[in-house]
Amino acid sequence: MKQLLQWTIIIPILSWALLFSGLIANSTIFQIAASILLILSVMSAVHHSEIIAERVGEPYGTIILAISITVIEVSIIVSLMLSEGSEATSLARDTVYAATMLILNGIIGLCLLIGSIKHYEQNFSTSSVTIGLVSLVSIIVFTLVFPTFTESVHGSYYSTPQLIFASIACLVIYGSFLFAQTKGYRQYFLTNGTDEDAKIHPIEINNKTFYTSLIFLLVSLGIVVLLAKTLSPTIETIIIGYHLPKSLVGVIIAIIILLPEAIAAIIAARKNRLQTSLNLALGSALASIGLTIPSVAAVCIIMNMPIVLGLDIKSIVLLALSVFTVMLSLSKGKSNIVYGVVLLMNLFAFMFLMIYP
């Protein structure tokens, strides 16, 4: 009973109750309350993901969080595409692109910056980073770059055979990455560094606590995404009121969805576990593209819906700059405060050029 009265259990339940009450749409007060509960639900998801990670060990804990968020992300994209039809043909591309830029520049940049400020220099496995980046670069090119230059279909589209091939390629690459992370080369992904808190306060997770956290991780992630979707019209109204581009709505929602991963990664970097941070960031980026695009592609093929995947030239250049900077920053196996600053400037450039194209 004491465990069920913890705030990390109560907050998600209250959030679901407020969502189903229908009060959010008609009241500014309840919209503010929903925003507060949204942030607290993010913190709850981070708490439960840390408990799961302690029990199952790395890198399985980061995989569970990354895949959980990606499954929910896919369900939201598919539901919006089915409800909005032709108006949402580029939704999957825009969501995946925004998530990738936020992860590569924002999450990794903050982890490198905060970790370097606290610990000056942190070590990590270059082998694990290389495996993740090689997989990520290939998936990015297959899904977001090639459709702009193929000739079978006019525009930033794949033909059906090309879409099937790209989807299979994503699944094969992501599957091989998971094999390397969990079986073949698991030693590369284990944490390098000393978590002093763990030594002072060792944590023992029993079965009841583990399964409770597993359930409420999904409950928390689910309400985070649904509240973000519910509040999106209000966010859109505010953005339009300030004459900002509507594409910022998707970025804001992506930020909210990625908050659990971002906070978990930053906490790990502060605890001198940068390897865990990089596992989470690169694994999330791979899952976001490698699982989202094939899932959405399958729905589009079955429902005979068009899907825009290819980016414009400006976005391709920004994405290439981000990937190249991350590759150089992580090539030596040691963190540096300058790397974090440069990656964060890449993120600011992405946001600035979206507002002032």
Side-chain angles (χ1 to χ4, degrees):
M1 180 60 68
K2 181 179 179 180
Q3 185 180 27
L4 293 176
L5 292 178
Q6 294 179 354
W7 73 269
T8 53
I9 304 294
I10 295 174
I11 290 297
I13 294 175
L14 287 177
S15 302
W16 279 99
L18 179 59
L19 179 69
F20 283 118
S21 70
L23 297 172
I24 298 176
N26 303 317
S27 172
T28 302
I29 294 176
F30 284 109
Q31 288 178 353
I32 295 173
S35 302
I36 295 173
L37 288 174
L38 173 61
I39 301 301
L40 292 176
S41 295
V42 169
M43 302 301 296
S44 174
V46 173
H47 170 78
H48 293 300
S49 69
E50 288 184 330
I51 291 176
I52 293 170
E54 288 288 345
R55 173 63 183 270
V56 301
E58 290 299 335
Y60 298 105
T62 57
I63 292 174
I64 290 173
L65 181 58
I67 293 181
S68 298
I69 291 178
T70 303
V71 169
I72 297 173
E73 178 186 0
V74 169
S75 66
I76 295 299
I77 292 174
V78 170
S79 65
L80 288 176
M81 291 187 71
L82 291 175
S83 62
E84 298 182 13
S86 59
E87 296 182 1
T89 56
S90 63
L91 180 63
R93 177 200 65 183
D94 295 342
T95 303
V96 166
Y97 173 56
T100 304
M101 294 295 287
L102 289 168
I103 291 169
L104 292 181
N105 297 305
I107 295 179
I108 293 180
L110 280 173
C111 288
L112 292 176
L113 178 64
I114 293 173
S116 297
I117 290 174
K118 184 171 179 61
H119 302 284
Y120 179 69
E121 190 175 78
Q122 294 174 292
N123 298 321
F124 55 88
S125 167
T126 55
S127 298
S128 68
V129 170
T130 301
I131 291 172
L133 288 175
V134 165
S135 304
L136 183 61
V137 169
S138 184
I139 287 180
I140 285 174
V141 173
F142 279 138
T143 56
L144 299 178
V145 179
F146 274 173
T148 303
F149 301 99
T150 52
E151 301 175 358
S152 298
V153 181
H154 179 69
S156 300
Y157 296 89
Y158 266 147
S159 66
T160 299
Q162 290 171 336
L163 188 57
I164 293 173
F165 170 78
S167 300
I168 294 173
C170 287
L171 292 174
V172 170
I173 292 171
Y174 184 67
S176 65
F177 171 78
L178 281 185
F179 172 78
Q181 192 177 24
T182 58
K183 299 292 183 183
Y185 301 93
R186 187 187 174 200
Q187 68 274 15
Y188 295 158
F189 296 87
L190 299 179
T191 299
N192 291 323
T194 303
D195 186 347
E196 297 177 358
D197 292 341
K199 285 189 173 183
I200 298 173
H201 306 288
I203 301 175
E204 293 184 3
I205 309 298
N206 57 38
N207 288 335
K208 181 180 178 181
T209 302
F210 171 73
Y211 288 115
T212 300
S213 290
L214 185 59
I215 292 171
F216 277 92
L217 170 62
L218 299 177
V219 170
S220 299
L221 292 175
I223 195 59
V224 165
V225 176
L226 291 177
L227 282 179
K229 180 183 176 182
T230 302
L231 293 171
S232 62
T234 303
I235 298 172
E236 183 176 343
T237 300
I238 295 173
I239 288 176
I240 293 175
Y242 285 95
H243 306 289
L244 297 172
K246 289 180 65 175
S247 55
L248 276 177
V249 176
V251 174
I252 292 172
I253 294 176
I255 290 173
I256 295 172
I257 293 174
L258 289 172
L259 267 178
E261 294 168 302
I263 295 175
I266 291 170
I267 290 174
R270 290 190 73 255
K271 292 181 177 180
N272 201 21
R273 295 164 55 192
L274 185 60
Q275 183 66 54
T276 298
S277 302
L278 296 177
N279 289 348
L280 185 54
L282 294 177
S284 297
L286 278 164
S288 180
I289 307 178
L291 296 180
T292 300
I293 297 300
S295 301
V296 174
V299 173
C300 290
I301 292 173
I302 294 172
M303 304 296 293
N304 196 26
M305 296 169 55
I307 175 174
V308 176
L309 288 179
L311 296 169
D312 57 42
I313 298 301
K314 180 186 68 177
S315 298
I316 291 175
V317 171
L318 279 172
L319 184 57
L321 173 64
S322 301
V323 172
F324 185 63
T325 306
V326 169
M327 292 178 69
L328 289 179
S329 300
L330 303 180
S331 63
K332 299 298 183 181
K334 293 181 182 294
S335 66
N336 188 303
I337 193 172
V338 177
Y339 303 154
V341 172
V342 173
L343 287 172
L344 289 175
M345 288 307 302
N346 288 348
L347 178 64
F348 296 148
F350 164 67
M351 300 294 293
F352 178 81
L353 292 174
M354 180 175 295
I355 299 173
Y356 298 100

